[in-house]
Amino acid sequence: MKQQRKAWLYLLPALLFLAAFMVYPLIDVFIYSVEEGYNFASQTYFGVGLYNYSYVLHDPYFLQAVKNTFLLVIITVPLSTGLALVISLALSSIRPLRDLFQTIYFLPYVTNTLAVGLVFMILFQKTEYTDGLINLMIQWFGGSSVDFIEGPYWAKMFVLCFYTIWVVMPFKILILTSALASVNPDYYKAARVDGTSKGRIFLRITLPMISPMVFYLVVTGFIGAFKAYSDAVALFGTDLNAAGMNTIVGYVYDMLYGDSGGFPSYASAAAIILFAIVLTITCINLLVSKKHVHY
């Protein structure tokens, strides 16, 4: 009994922190989301209901943001995780200069997001003086130049996905490289003695042993991709609605502080919808991981 009291006493600061900065704001946002006609200046409203949710779910800008966000999640999470796994396997098999390559791959993660976005703009953006390095490479192979920043939707989505993968992959490489290093080498020795092929070793030994880390990266990748906003701003500027590349978090920000800002009730409703989406997908991932992860 005394040990339990001590344990709760040790946890009390963390619980108070969570209550003050996570639980209370979430409750406050939910209250805002059901207050109809909320006036930010007078702090008044004329009713309580679900009108704010109805407005948000019928807003074309929000629907576009949902489309962009889901495409970003569906494309970048599997690709970044798969590429990170391939690169981690390659790094684990290279003895000389392994630390150097790990440092090189980790550099984008510690670089400022907006700075990386500026570099991507220089690479992809067409101007009156140049078509950009990427378009020059496309032209070398006989293709026609594409305006990736202000051009068609698919071109802008390609750049956004490419940029997102570039930014998040270093962290995943670091985690997976560490996970691969923790696998007991005796398993590999026993498999080689039995004449097991490399592909079967990966599927039967490596992948099951690192599966907790893989699912961790998938879950955090889904959450991070759903919260994407700075990536789009770095590439397309602050007026993401005009560019057609807004995200759900960007929509929430615009409703609070953008040109259409001053509507905390709409922003809160959109935030609650985002919370519900992320919570649902996270729960699904956790249920799947319980069935397939080997500890």
Side-chain angles (χ1 to χ4, degrees):
M1 193 66 179
K2 290 183 178 180
Q3 291 181 345
Q4 290 182 352
R5 290 179 180 176
K6 287 183 178 180
W8 282 109
L9 186 62
Y10 292 142
L11 288 173
L12 184 60
L15 293 175
L16 291 175
F17 180 84
L18 290 174
F21 294 100
M22 293 187 67
V23 178
Y24 170 73
L26 181 60
I27 296 173
D28 203 32
V29 168
F30 178 77
I31 293 173
Y32 273 125
S33 70
V34 295
E35 292 178 346
E36 298 179 356
Y38 179 81
N39 188 294
F40 189 79
S42 62
Q43 302 284 309
T44 59
Y45 58 94
F46 57 73
V48 176
L50 300 178
Y51 171 78
N52 297 323
Y53 291 94
S54 177
Y55 176 88
V56 169
L57 291 173
H58 289 87
D59 187 351
Y61 287 131
F62 179 77
L63 297 178
Q64 181 66 50
V66 171
K67 175 186 175 182
N68 295 338
T69 304
F70 269 92
L71 282 175
L72 191 66
V73 170
I74 293 169
I75 294 172
T76 61
V77 174
L79 276 179
S80 61
T81 306
L83 287 173
L85 181 57
V86 171
I87 293 172
S88 299
L89 289 169
L91 289 175
S92 299
S93 62
I94 298 174
R95 296 294 180 183
L97 301 179
R98 179 193 297 176
D99 295 336
L100 174 63
F101 284 121
Q102 287 177 339
T103 303
I104 292 172
Y105 277 113
F106 194 69
L107 283 177
Y109 189 74
V110 296
T111 306
N112 184 274
T113 304
L114 295 178
V116 177
L118 180 61
V119 173
F120 268 73
M121 283 188 64
I122 296 172
L123 291 174
F124 286 95
Q125 188 175 32
K126 289 181 66 175
T127 66
E128 55 182 332
Y129 305 105
T130 178
D131 287 346
L133 179 60
I134 300 301
N135 277 316
L136 290 176
M137 295 175 63
I138 293 174
Q139 292 169 8
W140 290 343
F141 290 97
S144 58
S145 62
V146 179
D147 191 347
F148 288 97
I149 304 299
E150 299 179 357
Y153 175 79
W154 65 265
K156 291 186 284 190
M157 180 56 67
F158 169 78
V159 175
L160 181 59
C161 292
F162 188 11
Y163 173 83
T164 303
I165 291 172
W166 178 269
V167 171
V168 302
M169 199 164 58
F171 175 74
K172 296 187 177 186
I173 292 173
L174 179 67
I175 296 297
L176 290 174
T177 304
S178 302
L180 289 170
S182 66
V183 178
N184 192 336
D186 292 339
Y187 295 139
Y188 295 129
K189 293 177 182 178
R192 294 191 189 98
V193 170
D194 293 337
T196 308
S197 64
K198 291 183 178 180
R200 192 170 180 81
I201 289 175
F202 172 76
L203 293 175
R204 296 296 182 179
I205 298 176
T206 305
L207 194 57
M209 294 297 293
I210 66 171
S211 58
M213 287 296 100
V214 173
F215 275 96
Y216 164 76
L217 292 176
V218 170
V219 171
T220 55
F222 272 113
I223 296 173
F226 271 111
K227 295 191 299 181
Y229 173 60
S230 60
D231 299 355
V233 171
L235 291 171
F236 307 108
T238 55
D239 195 356
L240 295 177
N241 285 328
M245 297 305 297
N246 208 355
T247 62
I248 300 178
V249 173
Y251 179 87
V252 173
Y253 179 85
D254 288 341
M255 279 297 172
L256 283 174
Y257 306 110
D259 294 335
S260 59
F263 302 99
S265 294
Y266 295 152
S268 299
I272 292 296
I273 293 172
L274 175 60
F275 172 76
I277 293 172
V278 173
L279 180 63
T280 301
I281 293 180
T282 302
C283 291
I284 293 172
N285 278 314
L286 291 176
L287 290 175
V288 172
S289 66
K290 286 183 179 180
K291 295 181 180 179
H292 297 281
V293 171
H294 298 268
Y295 294 95

